[in-house]
Structures are given as C-alpha cells and as structure tokens.
Amino acid sequence: MGNETKINLIKNAKNLFAKRGFYGVSLASIAEKTGVTKQALLHYFRNKESLYGEVLGDISNSLNSIVISSINENKDPKLQLIHIFDALLKRSLLEKEETMLLMREILDNKNRSDTSQKWYLKDFLKSLTLILNKTPNWKNASEAELLSSIYILLGSIEYSVISEPTLNSIYGKKIYSSFKNNFPQSLRNMVLITVNQGCEHFKELK
C-alpha cells in the first residue's frame, strides 16, 4: 500500500506541476488530489523540492532509457539519433503532461537555478551531444555547437506537441491534422540535415 501511495503521489504531482508550474502547486493540493493528508505526503517526501525532484527523476529515467535502447539497437550514431528523436516524439505525444512540465521547468528554473542540487536532464542532454559528436561531420564541434543543434531539435518536438490548441484555432482542424501527420517525417529530415550539414554552418558567412 505504501509503494502504491508513493506512485500515486508522483503521478498526481506530475499532473499538477505540468498544469501550474513548480510555484503554483502546494503540497496540500497534491495530497488532496491523492486522497491523503499532507502529513502522509511528508512521510514520503520531506518537502516540495524533494517531490518535484522525484518527478523530474522519473521523467529523466524514461528519457535515458530511450537513448540506451537506441544505442543497443543501432551501431551507426546517425541511426541512433533518428531512432531517439522518433521515440521522443512518440513519447511526447503520449505523455503531454511531461512535455508541458519540462517546458515549465525551463521557465520556473530561473528562480531555482542557484539552489538546485541536481540537474536531472544533464545526463540525457550529454548523451545526445556525445552521439552527435560521433558522426563524421561533428567530430570537431565544440560542446556549445553540439548542444545548440540538439536543443533546436528537442525544442521543435516540445513546441509541436504543446501548441496543438493554438494551431487548431489558427489554421483549423484539417490543416493541423495534416501538420501532425507530416511532422514525424519533417523531424527526421531535420535530424538528417543536422547530421549531414555538420558544424560548418556555425561559421559566419562572409
């Protein structure tokens, strides 16, 4: 029963953090949604930061498992990246709350960055940059160049997933449906262009 309660607390915390952000959620609201007292919640998590870290850690483990699975299934780093971003898009569409929460983490973390004890997504980002660095045209790239390109690809996934209501309203369901169907191939094309183009595009055109 105890483990089930903890799992439900993390699940409900993820839902509320995604909707309201770190600062918009209280421990009392998470406890209420789970059907337990605040004191019962504090039995599992010493404070809100601890619970939030557990949520981010859970997401981080899922993302890292996607990377590990791709590395195990493909020897070519280019294929690894294609597989990873395909899987990330599918997961983002299935777990929209996670995508929203990660976007909110970027916004909220401006005030929390000086006190954060652990960066849960660091290993995930590092893994992606290392894979890109193994492709022929990126072997001499700096860490900043690698991260910039990876971040652009990750951002395109997040924006495509969370902008559904807005794009539906602007363009209508028919065009949005077509956009949604075309996006996976567009993302693969972006990955291929990034890999094939290499870090040369960072050099200033003269």
Side-chain angles (χ1 to χ4, degrees), residues 16-64:
L16 290 174
F17 284 134
K19 290 179 178 178
R20 306 177 191 173
F22 178 81
Y23 295 106
V25 178
S26 67
L27 289 178
S29 64
I30 297 170
E32 181 181 2
K33 187 175 178 65
T34 310
V36 300
T37 65
K38 182 179 176 180
Q39 286 305 116
L41 184 153
L42 291 172
H43 172 74
Y44 297 98
F45 307 99
R46 65 183 182 275
N47 51 38
K48 185 167 71 168
E49 187 74 40
S50 173
L51 176 52
Y52 188 65
E54 193 81 19
V55 171
L56 288 179
D58 188 52
I59 296 174
S60 176
N61 289 337
S62 297
L63 297 178
N64 287 333

Side-chain angles (χ1 to χ4, degrees), residues 1 4 9 28-29 32 57 64-65 70 80 95 109 138 163 177 190 192 198:
M1 185 67 178
E4 182 181 347
L9 283 168
S29 64
E32 181 181 2
N64 287 333
S65 68
S70 176
Q80 290 173 3
E95 303 287 347
N109 213 28
W138 286 90
S163 60
S177 178
M190 286 177 62
L192 286 170

Side-chain angles (χ1 to χ4, degrees), residues 3 34 46 62 76 84 96 113 115 118 126 131 165 192:
N3 190 51
T34 310
R46 65 183 182 275
S62 297
D76 184 346
I84 288 170
K96 291 186 179 181
S113 59
T115 58
K118 183 175 181 179
K126 187 70 174 179
I131 294 173
L192 286 170

Side-chain angles (χ1 to χ4, degrees), residues 9 12 24 38 52 57 71 79 81 107 112-113 120 124 139 145-146 150 152 156 161 168 171 178 180 186 192:
L9 283 168
N12 290 324
K38 182 179 176 180
Y52 188 65
I71 291 174
L79 294 179
L81 287 172
L107 297 173
R112 296 173 47 251
S113 59
Y120 291 90
F124 170 66
K139 290 188 180 298
E145 291 170 340
L146 293 164
I150 289 297
I152 288 171
S156 69
V161 172
N168 252 323
Y171 295 101
S178 180
K180 190 173 181 179
S186 295
L192 286 170

Side-chain angles (χ1 to χ4, degrees), residues 77-78 80-81 84-85 125-151 153 191-199 201-202:
K78 178 171 71 174
Q80 290 173 3
L81 287 172
I84 288 170
F85 280 97
L125 292 172
K126 187 70 174 179
S127 296
L128 294 181
T129 58
L130 286 174
I131 294 173
L132 181 59
N133 193 215
K134 291 178 181 179
T135 61
N137 293 330
W138 286 90
K139 290 188 180 298
N140 297 319
S142 68
E143 189 170 16
E145 291 170 340
L146 293 164
L147 179 59
S148 295
S149 292
I150 289 297
Y151 221 67
L153 293 170
V191 174
L192 286 170
I193 290 171
T194 298
V195 171
N196 293 331
Q197 189 176 40
C199 59
H201 71 286
F202 280 93

Side-chain angles (χ1 to χ4, degrees), residues 167-180:
L167 294 180
N168 252 323
S169 298
I170 295 174
Y171 295 101
K173 292 183 178 180
K174 183 177 180 180
I175 292 179
Y176 177 75
S177 178
S178 180
F179 161 83
K180 190 173 181 179

